[in-house]
Amino acid sequence: MCLHTYQLHQAPRAWYATLSTFLLKNGYRRGTIDKTLFIKKDKHDIILVQVYVDDIIFGSTKKSWCDEFEALMKSRFQMSSMGELTFFLGLQVKQKADGIFISQDKYVAEILKKFDFVNVKTASTPIETQKPLVKDEEASDVDVHLYRSMIGSLMYLTASRPDIMFAVCACSRFQVTPKTSHLSAVKRIFRYLKGKPKLGLWYPRVSSFDLEAYSDSDYAGANLDRKSTTGGCQFLGRRLISWQCKKQTIVATSTTEAEYVAAASCCGQVLWIQNQMLDYGFNFMNTKIYIDNESTICIVKNPVYHSKTKHIAIRHHFIRDAYEKKLIQVLKIHTDDNVADLLTKAFDVSRFQFLVVSIGMINP
């Protein structure tokens, strides 16, 4: 697939209406989930046109279709061609014969320089295992604006760096009154980035094309309020396409409840991806969701267990409905093989590195 970028010079709202009408007249159809996506396909090939404000990314399985689209757009709009996609919204894209590599090492270099971490000792992991973050009210206050600025910069980096996702989310919970211990934890993330600036996501050209997901939770992992952390990641073959790390809104009363809430969150993301993939012409039914908790799987599958879940909010139970409709299937996986673990807790170096490689992150 060839990927290219274009930049339009018209005012966003004004040209979007014109652009969509123009594309629809020329054989494209608008995406049902994403209204800024336009698609044209036949039995063998497909072209995708993604509009983002005043930029367009387009890619096709057939190079001649890219050329035709380019000519079509130039015939109607005042545009400037940016050529093959190499950089977009801070993401660096390297298109190779055997796959695509996405990273943000230029952005990493920028924030290391901005916050004066160019000449520091590196860290092997982004967060310590022995020192959980707590309120630490006796410690000194730190500059709240600096702390928030550092967190904001790191948040943007999680678009291509799931390896720092958990650490950034953990530190972001202390933005109201950050203390020296919290700033020290944020600095550790920067020191980790100093040692691994070029790490990115590898999307191999040759891989299976089945949708699968991994769900996990860390029971009562948040020391502030004893809420659990949800972790989830979704793959197309061995290509990581989506990942989540979020503190749960409830205080779970058991490991099973925390895992069930995490599984429901993962299921919601899977259903969204299924609908999105329908636009591309792929129907993913019975998507596998791997869970490392046997009781959670039983609750999803077996109505006998439902009396034990009356205290769980109704909104989480749609996962049962998805299972009954055969939209998903839930499978047991050993904790050691659950890659969503990376998004729920801190690890020692060996386990952390194993998980980073397992989700498809490499150094170019």
Side-chain angles (χ1 to χ4, degrees):
M1 178 178 277
C2 55
L3 294 170
H4 297 264
T5 54
Y6 253 116
Q7 192 168 50
L8 294 167
H9 301 303
Q10 287 78 10
R13 283 194 181 185
W15 71 254
Y16 177 75
T18 308
L19 173 67
S20 57
T21 304
F22 177 71
L23 290 175
L24 293 171
K25 282 181 180 177
N26 281 278
Y28 289 81
R29 62 181 177 83
R30 190 187 278 114
T32 52
I33 300 295
D34 185 352
K35 300 300 180 184
T36 61
L37 174 70
F38 296 88
I39 306 147
K40 187 165 79 171
K41 59 186 300 231
D42 61 18
K43 287 182 180 179
H44 306 290
D45 294 291
I46 185 171
I47 182 167
L48 305 174
V49 177
Q50 181 71 60
V51 181
Y52 183 85
V53 191
D54 62 346
D55 291 316
I56 293 177
I57 297 177
F58 62 98
S60 177
T61 51
K62 195 174 184 180
K63 189 178 186 307
S64 61
W65 282 21
C66 285
D67 297 335
E68 287 171 17
F69 176 75
E70 215 169 307
L72 178 71
M73 296 303 286
K74 279 184 176 178
S75 70
R76 176 66 178 83
F77 297 100
Q78 181 190 351
M79 308 178 75
S80 55
S81 175
M82 312 295 284
E84 187 177 281
L85 179 64
T86 56
F87 192 81
F88 188 73
L89 297 177
L91 291 173
Q92 290 157 249
V93 182
K94 288 181 183 175
Q95 300 183 57
K96 301 181 180 181
D98 56 344
I100 293 174
F101 181 68
I102 295 177
S103 66
Q104 288 175 275
D105 54 276
K106 286 182 181 175
Y107 179 72
V108 170
E110 283 176 18
I111 62 173
L112 287 175
K113 185 178 180 182
K114 178 181 177 181
F115 296 108
D116 199 20
F117 284 92
V118 176
N119 300 304
V120 294
K121 186 180 177 183
T122 61
S124 54
T125 60
I127 189 168
E128 287 190 55
T129 55
Q130 303 300 322
K131 291 184 180 178
L133 292 171
V134 294
K135 274 190 176 179
D136 202 9
E137 292 175 346
E138 293 179 5
S140 304
D141 289 336
V142 296
D143 185 343
V144 67
H145 300 294
L146 172 66
Y147 190 86
R148 289 174 184 172
S149 179
M150 293 172 84
I151 290 292
S153 298
L154 291 169
M155 281 285 193
Y156 188 67
L157 189 56
T158 59
S160 71
R161 297 290 298 257
D163 57 325
I164 66 167
M165 188 87 168
F166 172 72
V168 174
C169 287
C171 292
S172 68
R173 295 166 189 165
F174 300 91
Q175 291 185 79
V176 177
T177 52
K179 304 290 184 176
T180 50
S181 59
H182 307 139
L183 183 60
S184 177
V186 174
K187 287 180 177 179
R188 183 186 173 94
I189 303 174
F190 278 90
R191 290 194 292 112
Y192 167 74
L193 291 172
K194 174 69 168 60
K196 303 276 186 182
K198 296 182 183 295
L199 206 62
L201 290 165
W202 173 245
Y203 296 89
R205 184 188 184 99
V206 179
S207 174
S208 58
F209 202 75
D210 53 325
L211 179 62
E212 61 180 30
Y214 295 80
S215 170
D216 194 27
S217 82
D218 179 32
Y219 176 56
N223 285 287
L224 282 179
D225 47 21
R226 307 312 296 173
K227 289 180 179 177
S228 303
T229 301
T230 286
C233 48
Q234 294 75 35
F235 292 82
L236 274 177
R238 290 314 303 163
R239 308 173 187 95
L240 181 66
I241 57 169
S242 177
W243 55 94
Q244 307 83 42
C245 172
K246 187 180 180 182
K247 188 168 74 169
Q248 295 180 2
T249 55
I250 60 157
V251 178
T253 56
S254 66
T255 303
T256 300
E257 183 181 351
E259 293 278 3
Y260 185 72
V261 171
S265 173
C266 183
C267 176
Q269 187 69 10
V270 164
L271 297 181
W272 182 86
I273 294 170
Q274 284 179 344
N275 286 329
Q276 181 70 67
M277 294 306 291
L278 284 174
D279 278 343
Y280 304 151
F282 296 98
N283 190 355
F284 289 109
M285 289 289 285
N286 231 7
T287 298
K288 294 175 182 175
I289 297 180
Y290 292 99
I291 302 167
D292 60 13
N293 184 279
E294 196 77 59
S295 301
T296 298
I297 294 172
C298 289
I299 292 171
V300 175
K301 289 183 175 181
N302 193 344
V304 172
Y305 289 88
H306 292 180
S307 61
K308 297 179 182 179
T309 64
K310 288 178 180 176
H311 61 290
I312 300 177
I314 291 170
R315 68 178 180 276
H316 301 303
H317 290 312
F318 75 92
I319 188 172
R320 298 175 188 163
D321 188 50
Y323 175 79
E324 287 168 7
K325 290 177 178 175
K326 290 187 165 42
L327 296 172
I328 62 158
Q329 52 179 311
V330 285
L331 302 171
K332 179 74 168 71
I333 189 172
H334 194 279
T335 302
D336 291 346
D337 301 318
N338 192 350
V339 292
D341 229 11
L342 180 68
L343 300 158
T344 62
K345 56 184 81 72
F347 291 102
D348 60 38
V349 183
S350 58
R351 174 68 176 158
F352 178 76
Q353 289 178 345
F354 168 78
L355 289 169
V356 166
V357 171
S358 297
I359 62 170
M361 297 193 76
I362 64 166
N363 262 313

